[in-house]
Amino acid sequence: MHLIKNHLFKSLIIGVSLALITGTLSGCANNPSASNTTGGVQTNTATNDSNSYNEYETTNEAVNFLGGSAEAIAKLMDKAFADYGRPNAYIKGEEAGGAIVLGVRYGKGELVTKSGQRTTVYWQGPSVGWDFGGDAGKVFILVYNLPQTDLIFQRFAGVNGSLYFVGGLGMDYLRSQDIVVAPIRVGVGLRLGASVGYMQFTRDKSYNPF
């Protein structure tokens, strides 16, 4: 995988150092949209079938891309669709992360909307928790209530208590105002702290996790 090359691991070292120096989640207070990230679920507003993905096609995309257990992915999709309805976009990508209590995560992928738009996106962010080690792999991210592509480029904070594990896969919710992203990762159970923090989506690669 491209993200596991030497330059990516160098970026992880830089990111962890920044996290240890600046403190955990120091950037959250500067994000006005993060104030709307308390727990609970909301109904997806993208109810028009022609503008959103159904569960069957979304599950197929995730199974084909992640290559994991179809049953486990289907169960996570059941949960996501029950909580937020039909997504109107998704992101297929790869990411790598590392942590010593405080951690960082970097990724790159392609945002695909139901309307057919495709956009390259990068993401990065800190995490905090009882979290040691490193991981790298594929991630499939459901995107809800995205009114236009450019609005993906912002910070999404984690929704409290939204971490789910099924058969070696994990999913959690992150939100900025009405837009919700739900990353599905393989082997996320090895790094529980990765679910506590935020993801910052950018147009260009950044080594700064904040």
Side-chain angles (χ1 to χ4, degrees), residues 190-202:
L190 299 177
R191 294 191 62 236
L192 293 177
S195 68
V196 182
Y198 59 78
M199 294 175 69
Q200 174 83 36
F201 289 93
T202 56

Side-chain angles (χ1 to χ4, degrees), residues 99-160:
I100 305 176
V101 180
L102 298 177
V104 291
R105 183 173 293 277
Y106 296 96
K108 177 185 179 182
E110 183 179 51
L111 171 70
V112 182
T113 68
K114 183 63 175 178
S115 64
Q117 290 181 293
R118 294 177 178 266
T119 305
T120 299
V121 298
Y122 296 87
W123 62 89
Q124 55 280 326
S127 62
V128 61
W130 190 250
D131 189 12
F132 297 88
D135 63 352
K138 295 180 178 180
V139 58
F140 188 91
I141 306 174
L142 301 171
V143 183
Y144 294 94
N145 309 322
L146 186 68
Q148 58 189 62
T149 302
D150 288 350
L151 290 181
I152 195 66
F153 298 115
Q154 57 177 306
R155 181 180 300 165
F156 292 81
V159 176
N160 293 335

Side-chain angles (χ1 to χ4, degrees), residues 176-187:
S176 176
Q177 298 183 23
D178 290 334
I179 305 172
V180 175
V181 297
I184 299 175
R185 299 182 174 97
V186 179

Side-chain angles (χ1 to χ4, degrees), residues 21-114:
I21 292 172
T22 60
T24 178
L25 305 183
S26 60
C28 282
N30 296 323
N31 180 25
S33 61
S35 62
N36 197 25
T37 58
T38 56
V41 298
Q42 63 183 30
T43 303
N44 180 24
T45 59
T47 56
N48 189 327
D49 289 355
S50 64
N51 295 328
S52 59
Y53 292 98
N54 64 45
E55 187 170 353
Y56 175 79
E57 60 187 333
T58 307
T59 301
N60 278 347
E61 285 285 347
V63 169
N64 291 336
F65 180 70
L66 294 174
S69 165
E71 182 180 359
I73 292 173
K75 288 181 179 178
L76 289 177
M77 288 294 178
D78 286 344
K79 176 62 177 175
F81 272 74
D83 287 346
Y84 289 99
R86 298 166 61 112
N88 62 344
Y90 60 81
I91 297 170
K92 296 191 295 186
E94 297 174 339
E95 65 178 15
I100 305 176
V101 180
L102 298 177
V104 291
R105 183 173 293 277
Y106 296 96
K108 177 185 179 182
E110 183 179 51
L111 171 70
V112 182
T113 68
K114 183 63 175 178

